[in-house]
Amino acid sequence: MYSTDFTKRLLTYRLSLTHLKKVGLNDVYSHLLAGETSHSASLIRKDLSRLQVKGKRRGGYDIDTILQAINAYFGNKERDRIILAGMGNIGKAIIQNKDFEKHNIQIIASFDLNPAIQRKKFSIPVFPMEKCREIVVNYKIDVAILAVPAFSAQSVCDQLIQCGIRGILNFAPVNLKVPDNVYVSNVRLVDELQQVIYHTKQKRKHGEYS
Amino acid sequence: MYSTDFTKRLLTYRLSLTHLKKVGLNDVYSHLLAGETSHSASLIRKDLSRLQVKGKRRGGYDIDTILQAINAYFGNKERDRIILAGMGNIGKAIIQNKDFEKHNIQIIASFDLNPAIQRKKFSIPVFPMEKCREIVVNYKIDVAILAVPAFSAQSVCDQLIQCGIRGILNFAPVNLKVPDNVYVSNVRLVDELQQVIYHTKQKRKHGEYS
């Protein structure tokens, strides 16, 4: 299994290549992709060779070939179906985000403790947590987005795992405890922002400003 | 300047230590913190020694001392003031997130092209982009959250930089082009989710499930 960094870079390449195709390019040189993605050209060539994408005779790569290889790597020819736990502000922003659908990810249901939320009309059904196992089992769901408040994050996480969930994207500012067979990735908005603030201050201190 | 990974770990430690304090602990051993954060005890000891936090005579560390050292590292005794560009679903979720305030980050204003949004009542003022320079200059703002749609992300990013912004937390699925003196960090929700899906599938393939 390749490292997380490798899969992250592939997603960055895909983003840039999709953009380059849109503006009319069919081929790309590694140094052009380097300029777009801020990874080095040699690392990009190494990554493409890992994907078994070969360069063209005259140099450069066929963009479609790279995109197909990246999509095949992620195995997302079929639609991936996931669930969402928590219909607060972040949860609502997530179900209204059309980028997931574009990438063949479908949020088939969401769960919330608040019955008032469940009665409101959203683009996906909202159930109480008790319905979770039924849906996870019937639809063979592996992955959940966890967007509940910090105080209930661990307990909802435990419930999701009991229902059969094995991958969690966690938005709660909590270090979740999970068994070894569960994969967790954290989106820490406050941490991300503090890092930007910190590095921007450092740059200012070191006179890197024009 | 330390690496991004080091600062990321510090934020993870802080999260766990704040939690441990809340449940009543005053001291912590590196291996306990290791269990909470999934970093190794030896790496944690190294990080603490970089922060010049010393262990106690009988072993373990004083939690308050570590927390103070981490907060001093980020230099956030004062409130950090930032702005937000884009009042779509993500932007709205961000201004309603109380975790920022808790960590002394204040979003003082937001900007949106849509005058209807500007007329609605939010907890912070919403201005048209033309007001951006005035606010950035008057309040000496360095950092912005960019939460606009992909198609306008680069142009709004350029405007922010022209107004004086030097650090950007970007939510748009776009590889922004910025000058060297600007620090950008990306929150890629679709990418994060695809990574979770990928790694969860891999685990299933390799029979790491009970």
Side-chain angles (χ1 to χ4, degrees):
Chain A
M1 192 159 82
Y2 290 129
S3 69
T4 304
D5 283 348
F6 176 63
T7 66
K8 253 197 185 167
R9 288 197 301 274
L10 294 188
L11 294 164
T12 311
Y13 302 157
R14 183 168 68 184
L15 200 58
S16 287
L17 292 168
T18 308
H19 171 71
L20 293 174
K21 256 201 81 175
K22 235 186 245 166
V23 301
L25 289 185
N26 292 317
D27 303 329
V28 69
Y29 284 88
S30 55
H31 61 260
L32 176 65
L33 195 51
E36 293 281 320
T37 61
S38 75
H39 296 300
S40 77
S42 70
L43 181 62
I44 289 171
R45 286 193 299 270
K46 226 196 247 168
D47 286 343
L48 293 180
S49 125
R50 268 180 168 191
L51 281 180
Q52 303 190 290
V53 172
K54 279 173 191 144
K56 301 180 112 178
R57 248 212 215 150
R58 296 182 194 173
Y61 296 87
D62 181 59
I63 291 181
D64 279 330
T65 308
I66 306 179
L67 286 174
Q68 279 160 22
I70 294 177
N71 288 335
Y73 177 83
F74 285 102
N76 54 1
K77 280 160 225 154
E78 291 170 39
R79 182 164 281 206
D80 288 307
R81 292 185 299 189
I82 65 165
I83 57 168
L84 165 70
M87 283 291 282
N89 295 313
I90 291 176
K92 282 180 209 154
I94 286 168
I95 61 165
Q96 290 172 75
N97 188 330
K98 283 165 194 154
D99 290 336
F100 295 113
E101 283 284 336
K102 271 187 213 157
H103 287 86
N104 264 341
I105 300 172
Q106 188 189 9
I107 303 171
I108 66 157
S110 91
F111 299 88
D112 199 280
L113 296 174
N114 183 351
I117 290 236
Q118 293 159 30
R119 277 196 300 271
K120 279 192 192 167
K121 279 196 182 165
F122 289 104
S123 54
I124 57 167
V126 184
F127 299 112
M129 269 313 278
E130 296 83 55
K131 286 276 280 181
C132 184
R133 179 188 291 275
E134 187 186 321
I135 285 166
V136 166
V137 172
N138 286 351
Y139 291 91
K140 293 178 185 155
I141 307 294
D142 284 334
V143 171
I145 297 175
L146 185 61
V148 301
F151 70 89
S152 62
Q154 184 65 55
S155 106
V156 175
C157 166
D158 294 345
Q159 289 178 63
L160 290 171
I161 293 168
Q162 275 167 24
C163 294
I165 289 297
R166 289 296 174 265
I168 293 174
L169 182 62
N170 170 40
F171 282 83
V174 167
N175 294 327
L176 295 172
K177 286 187 187 175
V178 299
D180 283 346
N181 62 354
V182 175
Y183 181 89
V184 174
S185 179
N186 298 296
V187 178
R188 298 260 157 86
L189 298 181
V190 173
D191 288 9
E192 294 286 344
L193 195 51
Q194 286 204 311
Q195 283 208 61
V196 173
I197 292 170
Y198 172 77
H199 288 290
T200 308
K201 276 184 189 164
Q202 287 297 108
K203 280 204 169 197
R204 194 170 287 288
K205 252 193 222 162
H206 293 79
E208 287 179 40
Y209 283 123
S210 49
Chain B
M1 193 157 81
Y2 289 131
S3 70
T4 305
D5 284 347
F6 175 64
T7 66
K8 254 197 185 163
R9 288 197 301 274
L10 294 189
L11 294 165
T12 311
Y13 301 156
R14 184 168 68 184
L15 200 58
S16 287
L17 292 169
T18 308
H19 171 69
L20 293 174
K21 257 204 80 174
K22 236 187 245 168
V23 300
L25 288 184
N26 291 316
D27 302 332
V28 68
Y29 284 89
S30 55
H31 61 260
L32 175 66
L33 195 51
E36 292 282 320
T37 61
S38 76
H39 296 298
S40 77
S42 70
L43 182 60
I44 290 172
R45 287 193 298 272
K46 224 195 249 170
D47 286 343
L48 294 179
S49 122
R50 264 182 173 191
L51 281 181
Q52 302 190 291
V53 172
K54 278 174 192 145
K56 299 178 112 181
R57 246 211 218 152
R58 298 181 191 175
Y61 296 87
D62 181 59
I63 292 181
D64 279 332
T65 308
I66 307 180
L67 287 174
Q68 279 160 21
I70 295 177
N71 287 335
Y73 177 83
F74 285 104
N76 54 1
K77 279 161 229 156
E78 292 171 39
R79 180 163 284 207
D80 287 307
R81 293 185 296 189
I82 65 165
I83 56 169
L84 164 69
M87 283 291 281
N89 295 311
I90 292 176
K92 282 179 207 152
I94 286 169
I95 61 165
Q96 289 171 73
N97 188 329
K98 283 166 194 153
D99 290 336
F100 295 113
E101 283 283 338
K102 270 187 213 156
H103 288 87
N104 262 343
I105 299 171
Q106 187 189 10
I107 303 172
I108 64 158
S110 91
F111 298 89
D112 200 280
L113 296 174
N114 184 349
I117 291 236
Q118 294 159 28
R119 276 196 301 271
K120 280 192 194 166
K121 277 194 183 165
F122 290 103
S123 55
I124 55 167
V126 184
F127 299 112
M129 270 313 278
E130 295 83 57
K131 286 276 280 182
C132 184
R133 178 188 292 274
E134 187 187 323
I135 285 166
V136 167
V137 172
N138 286 350
Y139 292 91
K140 291 179 186 153
I141 306 295
D142 282 335
V143 171
I145 298 175
L146 185 60
V148 300
F151 69 88
S152 62
Q154 184 65 56
S155 103
V156 175
C157 165
D158 294 345
Q159 289 176 63
L160 290 171
I161 294 170
Q162 275 167 22
C163 294
I165 289 297
R166 289 296 174 266
I168 294 174
L169 182 62
N170 171 39
F171 282 83
V174 167
N175 293 327
L176 295 172
K177 288 189 184 169
V178 300
D180 284 345
N181 62 353
V182 176
Y183 181 88
V184 174
S185 179
N186 298 296
V187 178
R188 298 261 158 85
L189 299 179
V190 173
D191 289 8
E192 294 287 343
L193 195 51
Q194 287 204 309
Q195 282 208 62
V196 173
I197 292 170
Y198 172 78
H199 288 289
T200 308
K201 275 184 190 166
Q202 289 295 111
K203 281 203 168 198
R204 187 159 305 279
K205 253 192 222 162
H206 291 81
E208 288 178 42
Y209 285 123
S210 49

